[in-house]
Every structure is written in structure tokens, then in C-alpha cells.
Amino acid sequence: KDIILNWATATELNAARFVIQRSIDGRSFTDIGKVNASGNSSITHVYDFTDLNAAQLNQSRLYYRLRQEDKDGGYTYSLIVPIQISLGGQQLLVRAVPNPFNNQLAFVIKGNGINTSRTDKAELYTADGKLLYTQSITGWTNNSRIQLRSIPRLANGMYVLKVHVNNEVVNLKVVKQ
């Protein structure tokens, strides 16, 4: 019933706050909360916000973005992230295993009634959005453990695993240690 949003910054300069915005159509956004930023920093900071009772909006998909506001009044928007609440009455769950991970990373897909698609894939991004790795994941079945093969050598830190399943996207925060 709740949606937990996570994001991270690699660096911050003059940052005041993050305004969390939600939309039901991906075009018109409403402010739903604020999180104070670290201000000025050259280290990674991880943030989260919980959109309480989002399922009560009776939407199968919601869209979120951040407006990062600076102390001098300037602001920038993040990319828009769609969140699928259900697929055909079935709940899609994707879980990274293990998380945190060392050198091997896999994930498990759970969702009865969800079909595999030739566009299904997994992508690994840096915390600041740089694509590092892509792997096709066609042919999976419910409760499949899908091992990411030949991922590049990674520095310790936070990454985003983006799993595309049946034209839906699930973003997972994963930590390399």
C-alpha cells in the first residue's frame, strides 16, 4: 500500500532540499513531500521517502520525480520514474540477491501470470545514472534466480539495478561492498 522511494547523490553543491512529486499521468505533478539535502558534499548520500497509502489512489501506475532545490533558489528536475503497482491483478516483485553483494549479483522475479517478453533485460547504473551493464533476461519463469554474467569490476558503493519485465520497470538499490 506504500511506495518507498530511494535516491542518492554523488556530490552536492548548494543543495537545500528535494521536493518529491507524484503524477497519475506522467505530465501533471503534485508535491507530496520534502527531504532536506546535505548541502555541500563530495561523498555519496542516500535518501528515502515513503508515499503512504499510494495504493489507495487506485492507479495501476504512478510517476515520480524529484525537484532538487538549491539554497539560491535554483532548481533542477530528476528523470521521471514510473512505478507499476500491479500487473493484471498480479503483483510483480523483483529482489536483488545478495544485497549487499561482493562480486556476484543476481535477482529473483516473482509474479504469477506475468509473461516473459523479448524486451526483458537488466541494467546496472551508477548512483548518478551512468549505464554500466546490460543483460537480456528472456525466458525467465516465476521465482527464477537470474545471475548477472560478466558484470564489470565495481568500486564499493551504491548502484541501481533496473529490471525491465513485460514492458514494466523495477528499480532496485544495490550496494557493492
Side-chain angles (χ1 to χ4, degrees), residues 22-168:
R22 178 183 61 211
S23 171
I24 59 171
D25 63 7
R27 293 183 294 278
S28 299
F29 284 85
T30 302
D31 295 356
I32 60 169
K34 296 178 184 177
V35 174
N36 289 332
S38 293
N40 294 301
S41 175
S42 60
I43 62 171
T44 300
H45 286 276
V46 179
Y47 299 92
D48 64 76
F49 177 84
T50 302
D51 186 3
L52 297 173
N53 300 310
Q56 290 181 356
L57 296 171
N58 293 320
Q59 300 293 318
S60 62
R61 182 180 298 188
L62 294 171
Y63 300 85
Y64 293 88
R65 72 178 181 190
L66 298 173
R67 184 177 67 230
Q68 187 269 309
E69 298 179 344
D70 293 335
K71 293 176 183 176
D72 64 7
Y75 61 90
T76 56
Y77 290 101
S78 71
L79 296 175
I80 296 170
V81 176
I83 303 293
Q84 184 71 27
I85 295 178
S86 69
L87 295 171
Q90 298 296 326
Q91 191 70 29
L92 173 67
L93 299 173
V94 180
R95 182 173 49 96
V97 289
N99 192 16
F101 69 99
N102 289 317
N103 296 317
Q104 300 285 321
L105 179 61
F107 59 94
V108 176
I109 299 173
K110 293 184 180 182
N112 293 326
I114 300 168
N115 299 318
T116 185
S117 166
R118 61 183 161 81
T119 60
D120 291 353
K121 63 182 175 181
E123 299 172 321
L124 190 63
Y125 290 84
T126 60
D128 62 354
K130 179 183 172 192
L131 177 64
L132 298 173
Y133 173 84
T134 301
Q135 177 180 314
S136 173
I137 58 169
T138 58
W140 60 269
T141 59
N142 190 34
N143 287 325
S144 290
R145 179 185 172 107
I146 300 165
Q147 186 71 41
L148 297 181
R149 300 177 306 274
S150 304
I151 59 174
R153 178 165 286 187
L154 302 171
N156 290 351
M158 192 192 80
Y159 295 86
V160 176
L161 177 62
K162 186 178 279 194
V163 181
H164 301 256
V165 177
N166 199 20
N167 298 316
E168 302 300 330

